[in-house]
Amino acid sequence: MATASISKPLPSASASASALRSEGKRISRIVFIALLLDILSFTIILPLLPRSLEAYKAREGADSSTLLGWTLQHVTQLRELILANAGARASRFLQQGARADLVLLGGLLGSVYSLLQCIVAPIIGRASDRFGRRPTLMLCMAGNIVWTVLWVFSGSFESFLAARIIAGLSEGNVQLSTTIIADVTDPQTRSHGMALVGIAFAVGFTVGPSIGAFFSRMNIESQATTTFGYAPFAVAAVFSLALLLTESLYLYFKLPETKNFNSQRNITSASADSAVAALDSGNEEPLQSQLQPQLGARLMQERQKTKSILRQLNYVHFAYLFFFSGMEYTLTFLTHDRFNFSNAQQGKLLGFIGITSTLLQGGYVRRVKGKSAHRDKSLVAQGMAGCTLGLLSIALCCIKADAKDMSRPSWWLWAGALGFAVASATVVNCLNSMVSLVGADDGSTGRRLGDFRSAGQIGRALGPMFSCTLYWLAGASTCYMVGAVAVAAITLVFVSAIPASTVMHSSSLKKSQ
């Protein structure tokens, strides 16, 4: 069905720069609203996950013929073996018994989701470069709807796991949103546009967990173990589905294609463009027949430098998310296990992180002045430092709680949440901006951002497993202390090794002709 908004053409080549900026802002607003709905849907499950696993364990954990029962049986055997060998040296958390097993199981679930994202992110990026942003995004939305429907009727752990696998293979909204914003912004406004993604995340993480906690009080789930009975907290899943359906309709009627939006800004000659394409395809032989030898050498040198910077940024993204996502993932398990937080208290803690991150995004990040790449590098370093201090604060909270046998968290927990908020407001969004500025005119924005997201998702896949295992074996205080030291080291490497001047695109070659 054709509509005015879908068929509305993007600005023509003769459109003024101000018209392009105006249209870019309009599309950015569309992306922001859609991404906000998506993140609200995604975050509803976060405060419910520990108690969802407890519900599945109560239904089928004692039956070794089920996947959950078999998994828990082997985890329990491993825990008992470690306890027998460690004796009094075993961590306080490990000595709590079966409750500790759910932390490791939660880490496994988080790792499976992120591992699937790591596999599919480059595919989504390349598909958006080839077929367009809009059709690729709509296909991802279809997958999101399918997994959420399956979540509603996940009466068994197996069906819940299947739903999460589909979710991991379908979630491309964040990646494609950053790609679309990169399409409709120029290098001077890129980081401000990327900040919209951060604001959507912050608002979503503020409101989404609270929505999940609210709907958790409405129970319609099945008590019997059936593959397609109602899931634990099924009402929350239904609301999540409603959000995704609304988002899909909104994108269908409002979002235009943006892949070629910036073609009017490209001033690169045809010969330089074809040379870049030859390099991207790995075929460097046509260079000598298309360009003067000096220009060909300059192009190859710049291309190698671009690849080196992208590779370094991917390594930093992987290492940072390995520790940050792992520590973040264990936070709800820490508050549930150590301080017996209710769903409402979990939502309040995550809401504090989200509100603070939103205020930082709108009141600080978008107002920082300076050249885009230098500005982004400074903000990334600040965010990593905030993460380091936050993890150190949570470690001190755990040490104090263990020493005094406290059942309530000290203010150090909220100091740690503040550090998480600073990191959430700055690091990943500004790294995305830096990546989008490297080779900005080579027509491969989707590929570059897809590869970058894939590197981060490897970290997200391995991080929760590592952190939950460390939490399991050594206890919470050691876990968060290790995370603080590691992120501090990553910050030092980033500041010293990554150049601030990342903007390199083929238009610079025009001057060489």
Side-chain angles (χ1 to χ4, degrees), residues 335-355:
T335 54
H336 172 63
D337 167 71
R338 187 63 184 82
F339 303 113
N340 199 31
F341 269 28
S342 65
N343 288 331
Q345 289 174 307
Q346 297 277 27
K348 185 183 295 184
L349 178 65
L350 296 176
F352 170 77
I353 295 174
I355 291 173

Side-chain angles (χ1 to χ4, degrees), residues 14-331:
S14 61
S16 65
S18 61
L20 282 173
R21 284 194 295 270
S22 177
E23 180 70 0
K25 289 179 179 179
R26 186 187 73 84
I27 295 174
S28 295
R29 285 194 296 270
I30 293 171
V31 170
F32 170 77
I33 293 171
L35 185 60
L36 178 58
L37 292 172
D38 189 77
I39 295 171
L40 284 173
S41 174
F42 174 80
T43 55
I44 282 175
I45 196 175
L46 294 183
L48 308 178
L49 185 58
R51 296 187 187 277
S52 293
L53 294 179
E54 285 186 340
Y56 284 120
K57 181 182 177 182
R59 293 182 187 181
E60 54 192 279
D63 185 358
S64 60
S65 65
T66 64
L67 176 62
L68 179 61
W70 181 86
T71 303
L72 288 175
Q73 183 182 61
H74 285 77
V75 170
T76 299
Q77 291 174 356
L78 176 61
R79 172 172 51 79
E80 291 174 348
L81 178 63
I82 295 173
L83 279 172
N85 291 321
R89 293 182 289 106
S91 71
R92 175 185 180 278
F93 174 70
L94 195 61
Q95 293 174 9
Q96 293 184 20
R99 292 188 68 182
D101 300 343
L102 291 179
V103 175
L104 185 61
L105 181 61
L108 283 168
L109 278 178
S111 294
V112 167
Y113 178 89
S114 296
L115 180 61
L116 293 170
Q117 281 278 283
C118 160
I119 295 170
V120 80
I123 299 172
I124 291 174
R126 285 161 174 77
S128 72
D129 282 339
R130 181 174 181 180
F131 303 110
R133 320 305 190 201
R134 189 175 184 278
T136 307
L137 181 55
M138 295 309 299
L139 183 61
C140 290
M141 288 305 306
N144 287 336
I145 290 171
V146 169
W147 95 258
T148 311
V149 170
L150 187 55
W151 175 25
V152 173
F153 298 104
S154 293
S156 67
F157 178 76
E158 285 89 345
S159 55
F160 179 72
L161 179 61
R164 295 301 293 169
I165 289 173
I166 296 173
L169 293 173
S170 303
E171 180 53 58
N173 300 54
V174 176
Q175 172 186 340
L176 291 171
S177 293
T178 58
T179 303
I180 291 170
I181 288 176
D183 288 339
V184 301
T185 56
D186 54 37
Q188 288 69 40
T189 61
R190 182 70 44 80
S191 56
H192 293 82
M194 292 295 179
L196 289 175
V197 176
I199 293 173
F201 261 94
V203 174
F205 273 84
T206 301
V207 181
S210 299
I211 293 174
F214 173 78
F215 281 107
S216 68
R217 305 169 188 171
M218 305 177 188
N219 296 324
I220 62 171
E221 63 264 22
S222 307
Q223 297 302 316
T225 304
T226 56
T227 303
F228 294 108
Y230 287 122
F233 311 112
V235 176
V238 170
F239 188 79
S240 178
L241 176 61
L243 289 175
L244 289 174
L245 290 171
T246 302
E247 179 190 0
S248 298
L249 291 172
Y250 180 73
L251 287 170
Y252 181 81
F253 287 106
K254 292 291 186 181
L255 183 68
E257 179 55 60
T258 64
K259 186 177 71 167
N260 299 317
F261 185 91
N262 267 331
S263 59
Q264 298 93 315
R265 296 192 180 113
N266 294 338
I267 59 173
T268 311
S269 66
S271 58
D273 281 339
S274 59
V276 172
L279 281 171
D280 280 342
S281 64
N283 181 15
E284 300 179 2
E285 293 181 0
L287 278 173
Q288 299 303 320
S289 62
Q290 297 180 36
L291 301 169
Q292 298 175 356
Q294 297 87 347
L295 181 57
R298 169 74 184 279
L299 181 59
M300 286 187 286
Q301 183 181 15
E302 290 295 313
R303 192 62 182 167
Q304 290 302 316
K305 187 176 180 181
T306 298
K307 289 181 178 179
S308 175
I309 292 175
L310 287 172
R311 188 163 50 248
Q312 292 174 30
L313 287 170
N314 287 345
Y315 288 154
V316 167
H317 194 208
F318 159 76
Y320 170 75
L321 284 184
F322 177 85
F323 290 100
F324 175 78
S325 66
M327 302 298 157
E328 182 184 47
Y329 197 85
T330 61
L331 185 60

Side-chain angles (χ1 to χ4, degrees), residues 452-488:
F452 177 73
R453 180 171 175 80
S454 178
Q457 291 304 314
I458 297 175
R460 285 194 182 276
L462 301 178
M465 191 67 248
F466 168 81
S467 297
C468 288
T469 302
L470 184 60
Y471 188 114
W472 199 50
L473 296 175
S477 57
T478 300
C479 176
Y480 289 105
M481 192 65 74
V482 168
V485 173
V487 175

